[in-house]
Amino acid sequence: MFLKKKLGQFFLHDKNIAKKIVNSISFKESKNIVEIGPGMGILTQYLLLNNKNLFLIEIDKKYVSYLKMKYPIIKNNIFHKNFLNWKPKDFFLYSFTLIGNFPYNISSQILFFIIKYREYIPECIGMFQKEVADRITSKHMNKNYGKLSVIMQTFYKIEYLFTVNNTVFIPKPKVKSAVVRMLKKTNNINIKIFFKIVKTAFLYRRKKLYNSLKILSLSPDFYKNPILKKRVEQLSVNDFILLTKYASNFLK
């Protein structure tokens, strides 16, 4: 096993944890499964027991070669790619379950990839650094609640499944990990104004929303909403959705 620190490689070696992760997938949401960063295939071996429509995206060329030899049945579905530059439609994948032990160093980028391609991804089972899992599952009035919490929970129902101790990885990371399940939700909102409101509100989180959102220069009637007297951490995810819908009525 050769590790590249710059790729944030920590390999799970506990088969019971691997089985538990794979068993967290519903398999009802999609016939196709895409695994990110399979490495030496500890999840792959159990994924293949239930689904042959499996696609592997691996950035490290040596593991691509290893996986093609180990799992010849899916060798044509194993790709040497940077997942962040991967486009599902280029592979004729329009609906798939996403799974992986996600690298700590690109966690946020992976989450924004999921949001970008949410119409393709009805379900995701991911292992993240515990701190990230806490953030994306956090509710308002909690210290972990932030921009990422609101964005992810607006488009996905997110469930914190279980914590994973650092002793089950090679090499052993300094932090714990956690596995979460995401199931896509449908919210009919103006995406552009939603992102503007959320990002701006958390950028100036010490201010009341009336003041922080002034920079957006929306119609004056928008700023009469009493909810804008609150600070950002006081707003629930649903409050942000309602505020976005309200703002859409006052766009100049």
Side-chain angles (χ1 to χ4, degrees), residues 53-240:
N53 292 328
L54 177 62
F55 299 81
L56 309 183
I57 311 295
E58 173 58 58
I59 196 171
D60 196 325
K61 190 173 182 179
K62 66 178 179 296
Y63 289 118
V64 171
S65 299
Y66 170 81
L67 290 164
K68 286 187 175 184
M69 287 190 294
K70 187 173 183 180
Y71 303 112
I73 193 172
I74 57 166
K75 66 179 182 179
N76 293 328
N77 289 355
I78 301 174
F79 303 102
H80 178 217
K81 298 278 294 182
N82 180 338
F83 175 74
L84 298 176
N85 299 327
W86 179 72
K87 296 179 180 179
K89 64 181 180 180
D90 289 348
F91 295 82
F92 304 101
L93 283 172
Y94 299 99
S95 179
F96 58 90
T97 293
L98 186 66
I99 188 169
N101 298 328
F102 300 141
Y104 294 157
N105 58 344
I106 58 168
S107 294
S108 294
Q109 292 168 273
I110 288 174
L111 289 168
F112 281 109
F113 178 97
I114 292 169
I115 294 299
K116 180 179 180 180
Y117 290 104
R118 60 190 178 279
E119 296 305 319
Y120 297 81
I121 308 172
E123 180 180 29
C124 173
I125 307 292
M127 177 145 60
F128 295 91
Q129 183 176 337
K130 187 178 185 301
E131 178 185 341
V132 174
D134 288 337
R135 284 170 60 198
I136 63 176
T137 56
S138 179
K139 303 302 180 184
H140 66 296
M141 302 301 290
N142 184 290
K143 66 178 182 178
N144 294 315
Y145 187 67
K147 178 180 69 176
L148 206 53
S149 316
V150 174
I151 292 173
M152 294 308 300
Q153 290 177 47
T154 294
F155 299 106
Y156 283 88
K157 176 184 177 183
I158 306 178
E159 183 181 359
Y160 187 111
L161 297 180
F162 55 90
T163 302
V164 181
N165 200 293
N166 59 357
T167 57
V168 300
F169 294 94
I170 298 175
K172 185 168 71 172
K174 296 179 181 180
V175 296
K176 289 184 178 180
S177 301
V179 177
V180 300
R181 175 167 49 220
M182 309 178 199
L183 296 174
K184 188 169 73 73
K185 300 192 301 188
T186 300
N187 275 307
N188 185 22
I189 57 175
N190 184 313
I191 302 299
K192 187 176 180 180
I193 191 64
F194 168 76
F195 278 107
K196 279 187 177 181
I197 287 175
V198 173
K199 291 178 179 180
T200 305
F202 280 101
L203 182 62
Y204 302 100
R205 62 187 307 155
R206 291 182 178 275
K207 296 182 178 182
K208 290 185 178 180
L209 289 163
Y210 175 85
N211 292 313
S212 64
L213 297 182
K214 277 288 188 181
I215 196 173
L216 299 182
S217 300
L218 294 169
S219 169
D221 287 337
F222 168 77
Y223 297 97
K224 296 177 182 179
N225 191 323
I227 200 171
L228 297 179
K229 294 179 180 179
K230 296 183 178 182
R231 287 187 169 84
V232 63
E233 68 271 9
Q234 295 177 284
L235 268 64
S236 68
V237 171
N238 193 54
D239 286 333
F240 274 103

